[in-house]
Amino acid sequence: QVQLVESGGGLVQAGGSLRLSCAASGRTLSSYAMAWFRQAPGKEREFVGRIRWSSGSTVYADSVKGRFTISGDVAKNTVYLQMNSLKPEDTAVYYCAATPDYRADYEYWGQGTQVTVSS
């Protein structure tokens, strides 16, 4: 089992920055992919981006490309989501997810952290 705990959410003005953290425990994630998703009120959950521990490769949704950056600290088993140039439409609950590289779906999920961007 893998436990994921997000932190770092909050209220920020448009144009500002936040960094979310996702601390993983229960297993070393060297062969896992870790991703961030978000869900705004009344909308479906959407993919934000992911990183593969084995290669360090990252992929981002078009809506956040160039503004958000995913990075990881292997020693701390923690993934970060640096969010810059935030927009009101980035307001959502942000979830961290993890899954073994061989799976297409995400097996483990955190509880989410609220990000609110005011205009």
Side-chain angles (χ1 to χ4, degrees), residues 32-33 35 51 59 61 67 87 95-96:
Y32 276 60
I51 184 169
V59 173
R67 300 188 298 123
K87 305 175 182 180
Y95 297 91
C96 175

Side-chain angles (χ1 to χ4, degrees), residues 7-12 16-20 36-41 68 81 83 86-95 112-118:
S7 61
L11 173 64
V12 64
S17 299
L18 278 176
R19 190 178 79 157
L20 305 184
W36 288 94
F37 290 79
R38 67 186 182 185
Q39 187 166 20
F68 291 10
L81 178 66
M83 304 185 293
L86 283 162
K87 305 175 182 180
E89 51 263 43
D90 294 318
T91 295
V93 177
Y94 283 71
Y95 297 91
T113 186
Q114 176 71 46
V115 172
T116 302
V117 184
S118 63

Side-chain angles (χ1 to χ4, degrees), residues 22-30 34 53 73-79:
C22 173
S25 61
R27 185 169 296 183
T28 300
L29 301 179
S30 57
M34 294 188 73
W53 282 117
D73 185 329
V74 176
K76 295 182 178 180
N77 237 19
T78 299
V79 169

Side-chain angles (χ1 to χ4, degrees), residues 34-107:
M34 294 188 73
W36 288 94
F37 290 79
R38 67 186 182 185
Q39 187 166 20
K43 294 187 177 181
E44 293 188 355
R45 185 171 58 197
E46 66 170 340
F47 173 80
V48 173
R50 70 109 176 98
I51 184 169
R52 292 193 187 279
W53 282 117
S54 57
S55 63
S57 65
T58 54
V59 173
Y60 299 95
D62 287 343
S63 58
V64 306
K65 201 173 294 182
R67 300 188 298 123
F68 291 10
T69 303
I70 296 176
S71 62
D73 185 329
V74 176
K76 295 182 178 180
N77 237 19
T78 299
V79 169
Y80 304 99
L81 178 66
Q82 178 67 44
M83 304 185 293
N84 298 328
S85 302
L86 283 162
K87 305 175 182 180
E89 51 263 43
D90 294 318
T91 295
V93 177
Y94 283 71
Y95 297 91
C96 175
T99 199
D101 280 337
Y102 62 82
R103 288 186 63 149
D105 62 328
Y106 283 86
E107 186 173 359

